[in-house]
Amino acid sequence: MKNKTITHIMALSLGAALLFSGCTSKEKEPEATPTPAVESETPKDYSKYNTYLNLVEDIYELEEILGVYFDNVEYAAEFAVREGGDYANIKEATDFYTPMTYTVEQALDYAKEEPAYPDADAAMLTLGDSPAKVMKAVGDISNYMQFNDFEDDDLAKAPELHAALMAALETYDLYYGSFLTAMETLADETRDEDIQELLDAGEMILYYSRCVIRDSQDILNGIWAQLEDAAANTEPNAEFALPVIDMTEIDPLLAQFQENHRNLTGAMNDEAEREKVSTFTGTVGDSALKLYTNKVEMLAYRMTDLANALAAGTEYADAYDATSEAVSSMISGYNSIN
């Protein structure tokens, strides 16, 4: 049986949010949920679901690179470096970028196959191969930056590469958000069911890991919702300031997070539970457990720091961002043991 993977939450950095006034938002990556390898008469195959999630991951990687690119280059048909921009800044963002065009091909093949995910399938077919075209364009820019060709030719090739990117973005920019939204909805619909399956299977390390990740995402999303409300109520030309967060719904989630973290720690200290996770057995078992434990404890540390920052007032942007990164790191760790 193919297990579901879990993908990363990619909330907009609060530090970046402060640069904008009025209502600011960014699509958040769907909170996908895994399913345990339990025995059943009809095993579930999540190959299609996981391929869609891989594409979501690829899109968010693209969005990070494109964000840096258009911080330094005008979003226009004709190439021009923005006032105050520096084309050299793009190099670090594109370092080692590998276009995963095969993922797009797989996703398009799966879009017409069972199981059906109606909204996600329709969005994928509308999106078409546009992500692959953007990936290729970004890959060409990466190659141009890698060995400093942009310096050697004084940006002579930059307009050609920019034109290819803008052409690729024509379809992509219109429809990628719909695909991400459809995947977010799909993940929300199945999250609690999938976590319950882990509990029913007795996979307590995986179960409490998912609970900790779920709680973390709910806390971050609860904060984000209040930020969106505050932004919507900010005058168009007024400077946006972080609001004091209402903790009425956040505090119970923090308490739940702490309890699930304690239970996860207990499960990881239980030899019988560790033996249920194949990654924690064998010659590399101890080192894998130590690495995963470090990710778990870093998330707990960051969450405590965030809670303290929220209680202190409005200086919580850095703590929020650090917690989001810690969630992402733990998700990577979870996928490596699941």
Side-chain angles (χ1 to χ4, degrees):
M1 184 185 84
K2 298 285 188 178
N3 289 357
K4 279 188 184 177
T5 57
I6 175 171
T7 193
H8 301 251
I9 183 171
M10 300 286 285
L12 177 63
S13 162
L14 297 196
L18 288 173
L19 299 175
F20 300 91
S21 61
C23 183
T24 62
S25 65
K26 178 178 181 179
E27 295 278 359
K28 280 191 283 186
E29 191 156 351
E31 298 165 13
T33 53
T35 299
V38 294
E39 295 297 329
S40 63
E41 292 182 2
T42 307
K44 297 179 182 179
D45 186 346
Y46 288 104
S47 299
K48 176 178 179 177
Y49 186 94
N50 288 341
T51 297
Y52 277 7
L53 287 189
N54 288 339
L55 179 56
V56 168
E57 293 274 5
D58 293 341
I59 287 174
Y60 273 94
E61 182 182 12
L62 274 178
E63 286 302 297
E64 288 189 34
I65 294 172
L66 292 172
V68 175
Y69 183 86
F70 288 113
D71 279 345
N72 293 279
V73 175
E74 293 288 351
Y75 188 87
E78 187 173 341
F79 173 78
V81 176
R82 295 184 63 177
E83 183 178 352
D86 185 347
Y87 199 82
N89 291 339
I90 301 166
K91 181 174 181 177
E92 183 176 355
T94 60
D95 257 358
F96 308 110
Y97 176 72
T98 303
M100 302 300 290
T101 56
Y102 179 64
T103 303
V104 182
E105 295 173 11
Q106 278 191 312
L108 282 171
D109 288 342
Y110 276 129
K112 297 180 181 179
E113 297 183 7
E114 295 295 330
Y117 306 128
D119 291 343
D121 292 343
M124 184 66 235
L125 290 171
T126 303
L127 187 61
D129 66 349
S130 63
K133 293 178 180 177
V134 177
M135 290 174 185
K136 182 181 183 305
V138 169
D140 290 341
I141 293 171
S142 175
N143 292 336
Y144 183 54
M145 306 300 294
Q146 187 174 6
F147 298 108
N148 299 323
D149 291 349
F150 68 100
E151 292 179 340
D152 295 340
D153 73 356
D154 196 25
L155 300 185
K157 191 177 180 180
E160 174 189 338
L161 295 172
H162 178 78
L165 175 61
M166 294 304 294
L169 288 173
E170 287 182 5
T171 300
Y172 172 86
D173 274 352
L174 290 174
Y175 302 116
Y176 84 91
S178 297
F179 177 69
L180 297 182
T181 299
M183 287 302 296
E184 181 174 8
T185 300
L186 180 59
D188 286 344
E189 290 173 350
T190 61
R191 183 178 73 163
D192 290 343
E193 176 186 342
D194 293 338
I195 292 176
Q196 183 62 45
E197 287 186 17
L198 286 168
L199 177 60
D200 293 344
E203 299 279 358
M204 304 315 293
I205 291 177
L206 298 181
Y207 169 72
Y208 284 121
S209 292
R210 283 296 295 117
C211 289
V212 164
I213 292 169
R214 175 202 62 197
D215 296 342
S216 300
Q217 292 176 325
D218 287 349
I219 290 166
L220 294 176
N221 288 343
I223 296 169
W224 189 260
Q226 294 189 43
L227 291 169
E228 288 187 321
D229 288 342
N233 291 317
T234 299
E235 293 297 325
N237 296 321
E239 183 178 355
F240 176 68
L242 290 177
V244 173
I245 297 297
D246 182 349
M247 299 298 289
T248 303
E249 296 182 0
I250 303 297
D251 278 335
L253 291 172
L254 286 167
Q256 183 172 284
F257 171 88
Q258 292 167 358
E259 180 177 358
N260 282 321
H261 171 254
R262 286 193 295 269
N263 289 333
L264 175 56
T265 300
M268 290 192 298
N269 289 331
D270 186 324
E271 184 177 356
E273 290 299 329
R274 291 198 302 272
E275 289 178 353
K276 297 176 184 177
V277 180
S278 60
T279 311
F280 295 157
T281 61
T283 56
V284 299
D286 289 343
S287 59
L289 176 63
K290 182 178 180 180
L291 179 60
Y292 189 64
T293 299
N294 288 341
K295 292 179 181 292
V296 171
E297 294 310 308
M298 178 55 72
L299 176 55
Y301 171 80
R302 294 301 188 190
M303 189 62 73
T304 298
D305 190 45
L306 175 59
N308 291 336
L310 292 171
T314 60
E315 299 298 322
Y316 53 81
D318 290 343
Y320 180 100
D321 292 344
T323 304
S324 183
E325 290 175 5
V327 174
S328 182
S329 178
M330 183 170 170
I331 288 171
S332 294
Y334 179 91
N335 285 339
S336 73
I337 71 169
N338 181 23

